[in-house]
Amino acid sequence: MARKMLIAGNWKMNGLMADGVALATEIKTAVKSKKRTCEFLVCPPFTLLTSVKKALRGVKVALGAQDCHFNEKGAHTGDVSPLMLVDAGCSYVILGHSERRADHGESNELVCQKAEAANKAGLKTVICIGETLEQRDAGKTIDVCSKQVMGSVPEGATAQNTVIAYEPVWAIGTGKTPTAQDVEDVHAAVRKVLAKKLGKAQANKMRILYGGSVKPSNAKEFLSLPDVDGALIGGASLKSVDFMAIADNAGC
């Protein structure tokens, strides 16, 4: 089944105002330079959402945040609600990234709660899953990822409001990557779990991205796999030339 490729950039905790506007402007120029067949998404820090949104006017590049709270409002110092993200111009939010799971102790249940709230507010979610090196070496990759999907994805999730991103924790920012066959095996297994949870029709339409040291040199190999529907890009998304080269090498 044809699924539109999604090329997403997670800027993480990087960029001051001038940096973010300059990067967004470069991406805008590159996207407009030729006819594109994929969807683009950039997820800057909260402080840059409004300015990046303005810089991207006139081009089809979606804006996303890197996290949200599950409440609409209230006494939650330092948190941002889904409705606030919509108000800032976001259409996506990344949830359950391994750095959130590790640094902030986020559980599958909490990620699911956030995803439900985000979807209710009209946001599309990019729900991240992935195994550690210890889990990989123990042969638990499929089991870990399957449990994260079952626990993190809401019952009412659809291909229209949910994207899954498989990011092996040991490959994020390390330069190390799994083999193409490893990636395809995990993505195929994840799609089977989605079929069990949401039904085969939704599973076949839902996009599953690969993330973890994605760069121009390996993009074509990974993004040509049958069950890989795009990339969630970290470090390489901070340079417009690399971000767009990944899209170009993926044929979009």
Side-chain angles (χ1 to χ4, degrees), residues 37-226:
T37 59
C38 60
E39 181 182 354
F40 289 92
L41 166 66
V42 295
C43 300
F46 291 132
T47 55
L48 300 181
L49 288 174
T50 301
S51 57
V52 168
K53 179 68 175 179
K54 290 179 181 178
L56 291 172
R57 281 178 181 168
V59 68
K60 290 185 177 180
V61 177
L63 182 70
Q66 298 173 20
D67 185 43
C68 70
H69 198 273
F70 53 82
N71 279 323
E72 293 183 0
K73 60 182 179 179
H76 304 286
T77 303
D79 286 311
V80 177
S81 78
L83 288 177
M84 290 174 177
L85 297 181
V86 173
D87 193 46
C90 291
S91 54
Y92 279 88
V93 61
I94 297 172
L95 296 173
H97 192 280
S98 63
E99 290 156 5
R100 296 290 310 177
R101 292 178 187 264
D103 297 348
H104 299 273
E106 294 195 1
S107 64
N108 292 333
E109 291 76 17
L110 178 58
V111 174
C112 185
Q113 199 173 7
K114 290 183 176 185
E116 288 177 336
N119 290 157
K120 181 181 178 181
L123 290 168
K124 299 176 184 178
T125 58
V126 178
I127 299 176
C128 300
I129 62 170
E131 83 284 6
T132 63
L133 183 59
E134 182 180 8
Q135 290 167 334
R136 173 183 168 82
D137 289 343
K140 297 180 179 179
T141 296
I142 299 297
D143 182 55
V144 168
C145 291
S146 297
K147 287 180 179 177
Q148 288 177 338
V149 170
M150 290 298 289
S152 302
V153 177
E155 292 293 338
T158 68
Q160 286 69 45
N161 65 18
T162 305
V163 176
I164 306 298
Y166 167 55
E167 294 196 307
V169 178
W170 53 272
I172 298 173
T174 64
K176 299 178 181 179
T177 58
T179 66
Q181 188 59 57
D182 288 339
V183 172
E184 175 56 25
D185 288 346
V186 174
H187 279 236
V190 167
R191 204 172 297 283
K192 288 182 180 178
V193 175
L194 288 170
K196 180 179 179 181
K197 185 177 181 72
L198 306 174
K200 191 172 182 179
Q202 290 299 330
N204 285 340
K205 291 186 288 186
M206 190 168 288
R207 292 180 290 187
I208 307 174
L209 314 183
Y210 172 71
S213 294
V214 181
K215 48 195 173 185
S217 61
N218 61 27
K220 185 175 182 179
E221 180 181 28
F222 288 133
L223 300 185
S224 63
L225 297 170

